[in-house]
Amino acid sequence: MSMDANALHVDVVGHGPPLVLLHGWAMHGGVFAPLVECLRGHHTLHLVDLPGHGASHDSAVPLALEPCVEAICAQVPTAPWCGWSLGGLFALHAAATRPQRVPRLAMICASPRFVRDGDGDWKYGVSKDIFRDFATGLREDYRGTLERFVALEAFGSDHAKDELRALRQQLFARGAPTAHALADGLSLLETTDLRAVLPSLPAGSLWLGGRRDRLVDPRAMRQAAADAPAARFHLLEHAGHAPFLTHAREVAAHLTGFLRA
């Protein structure tokens, strides 16, 4: 079935108050399957495939903050947004610019700035070279580079083998993401800095970090939560970068507790 070029694929699952879930780089909404099983009895979940990813492979929506958030808002009801990794940038931008549509925000292993800055006032990010190396790798060895990225996502977790297996299974489950979407996503991760929106963030927010995460330092998330009003930070002691795969019940408990409060 063809899709409107200006639309995105959104799976709707479960029953109860709505919740929007946004995946990370190179993935799609299906990656949240373990978390969906824990939440579908409590929430109607709107699982978005970002442009160029999954079933939104042919979407003409640019993988940029404002166009993407606008497209998502056109397809989902007023609801809290939960973003994982790259998806967190879209969720945070939406909560900052559209508080009437996004009344609450949850960030899973996501930061307002993913890289360290030159003057050293944001020391918890990764080196820009990581994203530039992946960009170079995509041109030389597309699949091998994606495999290296999911290995980095799983690295450090107490359940690294299980997490890596799950990420590999999902990576191409809805087809390969487009090359231009992957490049645009890396650029967003390298250049976006949303720290300035935190002090005036209208939405209450939840920040879930993994102690063993090698991509998003949980100290960056703790700092972001400290800079935002009405924010909660929780550290998942044995989790890596994708805690909803290995600690789905714990993540679900934090989300439902936050959204009910």
Side-chain angles (χ1 to χ4, degrees):
M1 182 175 66
S2 63
M3 183 180 68
D4 181 347
N6 294 314
L8 299 173
H9 178 82
V10 182
D11 285 325
V12 182
V13 180
H15 57 85
L19 173 64
V20 176
L21 294 177
L22 301 175
H23 62 82
W25 186 76
M27 288 292 169
H28 50 79
V31 76
F32 290 115
L35 185 60
V36 168
E37 288 307 305
C38 296
L39 291 175
R40 62 187 302 161
H42 307 280
H43 289 277
T44 301
L45 303 168
H46 297 260
L47 298 134
V48 178
D49 282 2
L50 294 172
H53 295 72
S56 296
H57 183 278
D58 296 324
S59 173
V61 177
L63 191 67
L65 292 183
E66 183 58 25
C68 214
V69 166
E70 185 67 20
I72 296 169
C73 282
Q75 294 181 243
V76 302
T78 296
W81 285 25
C82 175
W84 167 54
S85 196
L86 172 64
L89 293 177
F90 297 105
L92 179 54
H93 179 75
T97 59
R98 295 164 174 81
Q100 73 282 3
R101 294 296 311 273
V102 186
R104 308 197 88 183
L105 167 71
M107 302 280 278
I108 300 177
C109 297
S111 166
R113 182 180 175 93
F114 279 76
V115 299
R116 293 192 293 269
D117 56 11
D119 54 18
D121 70 337
W122 187 250
K123 59 185 178 181
Y124 298 131
V126 298
S127 168
K128 286 187 177 183
D129 292 339
I130 288 180
F131 296 112
R132 291 173 181 172
D133 287 347
F134 279 117
T136 300
L138 286 174
R139 294 190 292 270
E140 298 173 353
D141 181 8
Y142 177 89
R143 286 183 174 256
T145 299
L146 293 180
E147 288 276 351
R148 285 197 297 116
F149 187 80
V150 298
L152 182 60
E153 288 183 311
F155 183 75
S157 169
D158 271 9
H159 304 279
K161 290 183 179 179
D162 294 336
E163 191 168 322
L164 180 57
R165 185 182 305 112
L167 288 168
R168 281 175 170 164
Q169 287 174 346
Q170 290 294 339
L171 186 55
F172 300 114
R174 296 186 180 177
T178 66
H180 69 83
L182 292 175
D184 290 345
L186 288 176
S187 179
L188 275 175
L189 290 168
E190 180 185 345
T191 61
T192 303
D193 185 354
L194 296 179
R195 289 176 293 169
V197 309
L198 295 174
S200 58
L201 191 65
S205 56
L206 172 68
W207 303 73
L208 295 177
R211 182 181 290 280
R212 299 176 182 274
D213 191 343
R214 296 299 185 269
L215 278 172
V216 176
D217 192 320
R219 293 175 293 181
M221 300 191 69
R222 187 188 298 274
Q223 181 61 59
D227 291 340
R232 305 180 183 183
F233 170 77
H234 291 286
L235 184 65
L236 304 171
E237 287 289 339
H238 303 287
H241 187 63
F244 52 85
L245 294 177
T246 55
H247 300 75
R249 290 183 180 179
E250 188 176 355
V251 172
H254 284 300
L255 282 172
T256 54
F258 166 69
L259 294 173
R260 288 173 180 166

